[in-house]
Amino acid sequence: MCSSDLIWLRTRRAPDGDAEDGADIVIDLHDTAWPVIRRVVPRLAGRGDWYAAESRAFFAPRAATWDDRFGDDLPAYAAAVAEAAIPAGGTVLDAGCGTGRALPALRAAVGPAGRVIAVDLTPQMLAVARTTGRARDAALLLADARRLPFARARFEAVFAAGLVPHLPDPAAGLAEQIGRANV
């Protein structure tokens, strides 16, 4: 790091996010058992493999208990999918699908003639999706949501619950999904 680089460790929620604006890296330590890298400036984020390794190191040991900790978000997922008005027979992408909690709602939206494709960077998260039976609702792919493995695929909708806070550069990360959505 050069002398101008700054890492901001957030140990509590600040009333104003401006305090960390000068930081090159922002890490949440609200829950010391769950530290999360919230932001990395583009000049440091680059396109290197550090992001994939960091994400897998964070999510892999938590995959087995992820649904226990965050399982109460299913109604919110169902409401978001309903509000999106995804057309029956369409194709949707769940980017950063994790354990696949949104897949049943996405499958219901597109119906039996539609396609649901779910990608996640962590094999352990996809394994939980399979063991919970959610794989029957979608094609599960091990892939980086920032670099989707589809040459020219287009989707009627892209669902990305919980993905944005884990992207080192959210604007660049979302550009891949926005470019794929038929909006």
Side-chain angles (χ1 to χ4, degrees), residues 108-124:
V110 299
R115 287 188 68 194
V116 179
I117 299 171
V119 300
D120 201 273
L121 193 56
T122 309
Q124 293 84 347

Side-chain angles (χ1 to χ4, degrees), residues 42-138:
R43 70 180 171 79
L44 297 176
R47 293 186 61 89
D49 290 338
W50 75 269
Y51 166 78
E54 178 70 22
S55 293
R56 287 179 177 135
F58 177 82
F59 287 106
R62 293 168 174 85
T65 59
W66 195 261
D67 288 356
D68 296 336
R69 185 166 173 118
F70 299 106
D72 60 350
D73 54 13
L74 296 178
Y77 286 180
V81 170
E83 187 174 321
I86 300 166
T91 300
V92 297
L93 172 69
D94 188 347
C97 68
T99 61
R101 294 182 323 277
L103 298 179
L106 292 168
R107 166 55 54 208
V110 299
R115 287 188 68 194
V116 179
I117 299 171
V119 300
D120 201 273
L121 193 56
T122 309
Q124 293 84 347
M125 287 291 201
L126 295 173
V128 171
R130 286 183 186 92
T131 61
T132 58
R134 296 179 189 133
R136 70 177 170 264
D137 294 317

